[in-house]
Amino acid sequence: DRPMGTPSLISMVEISTEPDPRAARLVLKLQGAGHQGQVVQLQQKGLVFFEQRLADGPFTIDQLRPFDPNAEVTLLLKSTNLADEKISLPLKPQEKRTLYAKHHSLTAPTPMQAPKDSAGKAGEDDEDVEFDSDFLRGNAFRNVDSAAMKKLGRARPGNVDVEVFRNGEAVTKSTVKFTEPPGGGEARACIDAALFMQLGIKPEHVSPAGAALVGQGNPQAQSAGCMYIDQWVEGASAKYDVSQLRLDLSVPQAFLTRLSRRSVPPGMLTRGENAGFVNYNLNHYETQGQTSDFLGLNSGINVQGWQVRHTSYLSQSNSASAGNSQQYVAGETFVRRPLIDWKSTLALGEIASSSPILGSLPLRGLRLASEEGLMSDEERSYRPVVRGVARTNARVRVSQNGAVFFELTVPPGPFELNDLNPPSSVGNLTLSITEADGSTQNFLVPYSLSAGKLNPGSVRYSLSAGNYRSGGVTTEAPLLQAYLRYGLNTLITPGLEWMVSPDYASAGLQLAFNNPWGYLALNRAQTQGSGRSDLYAVGQNQSITYNTPVMGPLTLYSGVSQQSLGYVSPLSALSSTSLDPYSPLNPKNSVFVSLGLSLGKFGGLSLSAVEQTTWTEGRVTNQYRLSYSTLVSQLSLSVYMAQTHYTDGTPSADSVGFSAALPLGGVGSGGGVRYNQNQTGTQVPLQTLSAYGSAFNNQVNYNLNQSQTGDVGSTSASASVQYAYGSLGASVSGNNQGGSLQSGVSASGGLVVHSDGVIMSPTVGSTFAIVELPQGEGAGFTGSQARINSSGFGVLPNLSAYLINDVQISLEGASADLEVEAASQRVAPVEGSIVRLRFSGTRGRPLLLLLITDKDGRIPIGGTVTDSAGNEVGTVGQGSRALVRVQKPTDTLRVQWGDKPDEVCSATYLLDDKNLANASGFTPMKLRCVLGPETNKAAPVQASGNTTVKP
């Protein structure tokens, strides 16, 4: 009965519950048919936890997780110019609700009419544009016909080396084939399987044609076939910037795996090169006729991916009473190798076991343990999952307790954030989505973190075997220790651990829970052993910790632990020659509570209380601490009171303290002054006044300290200097009692040995890089004091393992003659690797030339400038100007912009002491360029300023 031609809107939405295969809870599923512009929304307790704009046709959305597993869910269907329709669904197994709506008489949009004078196919106006090829000269435009000129600034068919970005994040540098679509038009990027697999798209969102191409086992077949990005993934798009050689791929964020947003694909990881290093730490100390010297060495060598590490110490002391003494100690020596395919690390030698439940033990043997850095984001430590839908290019912000800790711009479509690192272990998250039109939506995501919590399906393990080491000495006591932790579901993570030696055994169980009401961790350890007195011991140790979610400004953290009389820790059992489980000093039980109260701009209060009972009869210890801190303008103030009370008659210990800190600017950048006063019981209070800071771009750090306790006062001062090859430090202190004086000097740094020689460097970390830049003496690295030496080598002392590092060359401090072709490289090293990065650089004096022909004519844009050896040294730009880099103090330059005799000229420059560089490091010159192939007529005319340069 509706009028003819009036569009209708028929929509059906069905919401149902189904079990989550990964967790013991229910998830929601939406399916139905919608109309363009409709919005489906899910709410719980008045808060929106899901929203999506529908397209024409059927849809299915599953695995939706409400934040409250018990409250009913309300489904709203929103349509333009129509009232919202809604239904509610209780969260019970196999529940289903259907919303069916049929609407008529919707206003049809009026199509926009094209102007009569612009009729025709889109883009036909481009065919009317004509270019005069005489305006384009030089090698850059040779062999470019009129048709090709119309496509300048557009992508053209062929292979192009581009930088590939995905949703604004750099992915790789790759050669991409550009092809014209079957229907014609501008060439588009054709993505092959090798490049597509680096994008990190979830398999379920890859098109059938794409899955078939990826599934081909032959790498040559994979590289031969390619498809446009929207053929790979529906809803994806590509944008190519010709001027920047940059290919931007836009993919709905929810289609990306967690690996693609943070973790490094295994194929991008590098083990580095064969090289070695030695870190040294030298210290000399003197006081009242006594001297001591210390040298610590930390060395290592990498060979074919195996990493050998060794520490050693040499000390010497000299005094009038004790005479001369020397000591050499060989520290730990071990071999390590990251096992990329196993996501683990193997270590052999003098190591320590990995144990989060019973405690780590030093041993000589081997350890095979999970490597966190090699795991994808979904396998790493527990993180909350935040989901939503963006209608446009939207800004997504996530905050906790009022503080924004994450922000991301996402393309249109669904998104999923599962690599968040909230700053607090408790506190619900607020998700804010700001669309391109300015509209904002806010959602609440409950969150609390439990110690030992893992993401569902994630595994951690460790296996250690060897002989126990005590005080650096290996004993004859063998031991075996292993643990396994598994993310069972979103609610619980169990962990098991086992340790055994000939006279002792221990087993541990850990359960970590996470829910909207806080986190709960349960730990239990069981031990048994026989001592040398044949006394058999059995004991238990159990603990519970609980952290509530944020309750307004109040936070609560509490726990209780209990230990039986016969319990002996693994470290105590192996360290003692006799097993005495009945030590009366062992703690029987303990309880602790910690409260925090935020007062907003007035600061914050904290209160903690601990009660501990030992097996000694009547021995109970109670500890209390109350503190307050605030910020007044830039002045930080804090005060605390503490008391320790004993029930067996031992005198109580009371203490009170106050501190104030004020930052100061000026010469000491990042520095300030600090005052502390502390008093315990009836003792004389200790007062300390300190001044600290840094200068010269943080290369110099200093600290001045004055302490006073009654009539006894002491003064100390220290300073350290960071330089290209390490650091130097000095300190001095003294007091007013007897005039004693102490002084010391220190030095630290490193030596790196590689296939081309030895490099002096700052102290290197576990993972670092050797940088090669020929002729780059004086150049440095962004964020480091290290420099390239005269041999063209330098050391970047620290890299982040298992992450992509962007290494950038800094020309600050280098000669203005130095030019680096590509000043940035990206590398992803494994832990402990020594990476070698090669940069290409040239030296030459940069000249800014104004070229005038002998007929007072200007040279067209694009003219090529070459030196007498035929090397291309620059290109003519606007205004007949050219920026060239020359190697000789005098030479004849050839400028060519065509093939005719009058389309080439020659100019001779002469550099002497009168030619000065400007503030930018360029030497400006004005040169006469003689037309024709002859060069003997060329002569300089006038340099910049008032200086005349004669031939």
Side-chain angles (χ1 to χ4, degrees), residues 353 355 358-359 361 462-464 479-483 497-499:
S353 64
S355 168
L358 299 177
L361 296 171
S462 175
L463 177 64
S464 304
L479 66 91
L480 177 66
Q481 189 170 9
Y483 93 89
E497 190 164 332
W498 178 60
M499 179 264 167

Side-chain angles (χ1 to χ4, degrees), residues 644-662:
T644 302
H645 180 262
Y646 307 95
T647 59
D648 62 350
T650 303
S652 299
D654 302 327
S655 61
V656 63
F658 168 79
S659 67
L662 180 66

Side-chain angles (χ1 to χ4, degrees), residues 531 533 535 537 565-568 572 576-584 586:
S533 59
L535 179 63
L565 183 61
Y567 175 80
V568 180
S572 299
S576 177
T577 56
S578 63
L579 195 62
D580 183 9
Y582 297 101
S583 172
N586 284 347

Side-chain angles (χ1 to χ4, degrees), residues 687-722:
Q687 303 176 70
T688 304
L689 179 64
S690 303
Y692 57 92
S694 59
F696 305 107
N697 196 24
N698 294 323
Q699 295 185 44
V700 178
N701 296 278
Y702 64 88
N703 189 294
L704 305 174
N705 189 80
Q706 171 66 43
S707 299
Q708 191 73 30
T709 305
D711 296 333
V712 179
S714 62
T715 304
S716 63
S718 63
S720 63
V721 179
Q722 304 290 330

Side-chain angles (χ1 to χ4, degrees), residues 783-929:
S784 174
Q785 299 290 343
R787 296 286 172 184
I788 301 292
N789 61 20
S790 58
S791 300
F793 290 95
V795 173
L796 186 58
N798 289 285
L799 293 177
S800 298
Y802 306 115
L803 294 175
I804 294 178
N805 296 258
D806 192 358
V807 179
Q808 295 184 349
I809 298 293
S810 172
L811 296 182
E812 183 178 355
S815 171
D817 296 348
L818 177 63
E819 181 181 26
V820 180
E821 292 183 6
S824 176
Q825 290 190 37
R826 304 170 77 230
V827 63
V830 302
E831 175 71 27
S833 62
I834 304 176
V835 180
R836 182 160 176 170
L837 301 175
R838 294 175 173 86
F839 290 84
S840 178
T842 58
R843 282 191 176 273
R845 187 164 176 178
L847 307 180
L848 183 59
L849 304 180
L850 174 59
L851 299 169
I852 304 296
T853 67
D854 54 356
K855 295 181 180 180
D856 291 332
R858 297 297 180 98
I859 298 175
I861 296 176
T864 303
V865 185
T866 57
D867 60 15
S868 59
N871 301 314
E872 186 172 332
V873 295
T875 303
V876 178
Q878 293 181 344
S880 197
R881 286 177 168 83
L883 177 62
V884 301
R885 190 174 294 273
V886 298
Q887 308 289 333
K888 303 177 181 178
T890 180
D891 198 2
T892 298
L893 303 178
R894 177 186 175 90
V895 186
Q896 185 173 4
W897 61 95
D899 297 325
K900 299 177 182 179
D902 59 349
E903 292 178 339
V904 61
C905 68
S906 301
T908 300
Y909 69 87
L910 175 64
L911 298 176
D912 55 23
D913 295 338
K914 298 179 180 180
N915 301 118
L916 302 178
N918 58 21
S920 300
F922 307 128
T923 301
M925 300 187 72
K926 182 178 180 181
L927 297 181
R928 180 76 65 185
C929 199

Side-chain angles (χ1 to χ4, degrees), residues 465-489:
N467 289 341
Y468 175 73
R469 290 189 304 120
S470 178
V473 179
T474 303
T475 67
E476 298 299 324
L479 66 91
L480 177 66
Q481 189 170 9
Y483 93 89
L484 176 67
R485 193 156 43 109
Y486 176 69
L488 186 62
N489 50 46

Side-chain angles (χ1 to χ4, degrees), residues 292-362:
S292 64
D293 297 282
F294 172 84
L295 174 63
L297 298 176
N298 176 20
S299 56
I301 183 171
N302 289 7
V303 179
Q304 299 299 318
W306 291 91
Q307 305 166 6
V308 183
R309 299 293 183 265
H310 174 71
T311 57
S312 57
Y313 312 96
L314 176 64
S315 60
Q316 173 183 290
S317 62
N318 187 6
S319 66
S321 57
N324 235 350
S325 64
Q326 294 181 348
Q327 184 181 35
Y328 173 78
V329 176
E332 295 181 345
T333 301
F334 64 90
V335 181
R336 177 179 61 192
R337 183 180 180 86
L339 306 177
I340 297 177
D341 293 337
W342 288 19
K343 300 179 182 179
S344 306
T345 297
L346 174 66
L348 304 96
E350 294 165 336
I351 55 176
S353 64
S354 178
S355 168
I357 302 176
L358 299 177
S360 299
L361 296 171

